[in-house]
């Protein structure tokens, strides 16, 4: 990772922590992933040589920058966010990072966007959004994730109770292998096994 990007990520970590501590309005919080989660995602992306990434839940773009750096110059990240103020912050951070050519921002409701994606369109999906919707999104997520690739879900330990329905669906789905990693706020790593 280049020094300038590492400095920007450190700045965003400090901003996220202080900003979130100063507001009780959940819709205004950044709710960023932890630094070690960013490193874990980068490791998974590089190890699997993923090139077409999807992120559901951009916030201010902190996690997106980890993904965009990891995917390299030949890859791309599509990131979906509804909140206009967060999309604007993210866009500024993408410009500052120099990684914006690899990042495609989508303004949409995630479920609506997922329904429009091609089968097998993505070889890595990072889910960090409205946990109450994950179970409804599962059929679309299954369809658009390429065989032999990973879906990673944040907050799988910190908000485990909100993911119970989703976890049951994953466990009941043939052809998927999952493991819960205690990194950060808990990362559920789901492999769509190849045919």
């Amino acid at each position: 990772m280049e020094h300038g990007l590492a400095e920007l990520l450190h700045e965003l970590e400090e901003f996220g922590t202080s900003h979130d501590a100063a507001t009780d309005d959940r819709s205004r919080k950044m709710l960023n992933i932890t630094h070690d989660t960013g490193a874990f995602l980068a490791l998974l992306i590089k190890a699997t040589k993923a090139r077409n990434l999807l992120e559901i839940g951009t916030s201010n773009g902190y996690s997106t920058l980890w993904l965009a750096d990891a995917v390299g110059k030949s890859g791309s990240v599509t990131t979906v966010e509804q909140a206009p103020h967060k999309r604007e912050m993210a866009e500024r951070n993408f410009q500052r990072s120099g990684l914006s050519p690899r990042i495609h921002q989508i303004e949409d409701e995630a479920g609506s966007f997922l329904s429009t994606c091609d089968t097998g369109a993505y070889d890595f999906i990072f889910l960090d959004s409205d946990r109450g919707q994950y179970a409804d999104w599962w059929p679309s997520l299954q369809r658009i994730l390429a065989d032999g690739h990973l879906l990673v879900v944040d907050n799988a330990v910190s908000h485990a109770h909100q993911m119970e329905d989703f976890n049951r669906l994953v466990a009941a789905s043939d052809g998927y292998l999952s493991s819960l990693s205690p990194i950060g706020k808990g990362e559920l790593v789901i492999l769509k096994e190849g045919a």
Side-chain angles (χ1 to χ4, degrees):
M1 178 178 290
E2 292 182 5
H3 182 68
L5 179 58
E7 284 190 337
L8 175 58
L9 287 171
H10 181 69
E11 176 190 320
L12 293 178
E13 287 164 16
E14 291 188 337
F15 166 75
T17 301
S18 61
H19 177 274
D20 287 7
T23 181
D24 292 327
D25 182 353
R26 182 169 165 66
S27 70
R28 305 299 297 182
K29 290 179 183 274
M30 298 298 105
L31 303 170
N32 293 145
I33 61 170
T34 62
H35 183 94
D36 57 341
T37 298
F40 180 64
L41 294 173
L43 182 153
L44 293 175
I45 290 162
K46 291 179 180 209
T48 60
K49 297 178 173 50
R51 287 292 168 261
N52 297 307
L53 280 55
L54 174 64
E55 175 184 50
I56 304 295
T58 313
S59 186
N60 63 338
Y62 174 76
S63 53
T64 320
L65 293 176
W66 278 100
L67 303 179
D69 181 62
V71 80
K73 292 178 181 173
S74 63
S76 67
V77 180
T78 299
T79 185
V80 183
E81 177 62 60
Q82 270 193 298
H85 67 284
K86 290 184 179 180
R87 280 196 317 276
E88 289 166 11
M89 270 192 283
E91 187 169 6
R92 287 194 299 273
N93 291 328
F94 299 158
Q95 293 295 333
R96 290 178 62 199
S97 73
L99 296 174
S100 56
R102 303 178 193 176
I103 301 168
H104 181 52
Q105 285 187 277
I106 301 289
E107 175 187 349
D108 202 352
E109 186 278 321
S112 174
F113 173 77
L114 291 170
S115 69
T116 69
C117 296
D118 292 336
T119 298
Y122 298 101
D123 54 15
F124 189 93
I125 300 174
F126 180 54
L127 201 52
D128 188 14
S129 184
D130 181 359
R131 290 171 290 278
Q133 299 292 317
Y134 292 177
D136 292 339
W137 297 345
W138 179 234
S140 291
L141 292 166
Q142 289 177 278
R143 181 179 58 76
I144 69 172
L145 180 63
D147 288 350
H149 290 281
L150 299 175
L151 164 66
V152 181
V153 188
D154 194 36
N155 302 111
V157 172
S158 63
H159 293 75
H161 61 290
Q162 295 178 355
M163 290 180 47
E164 288 174 358
D165 290 344
F166 178 75
N167 289 338
R168 275 193 290 273
L169 281 174
V170 173
S173 300
D174 290 338
Y176 292 85
L177 178 65
S178 64
S179 179
L180 181 60
S181 171
I183 291 170
K185 297 169 189 168
E187 305 306 306
L188 179 63
V189 181
I190 303 166
L191 170 68
K192 181 178 183 179
E193 297 179 286

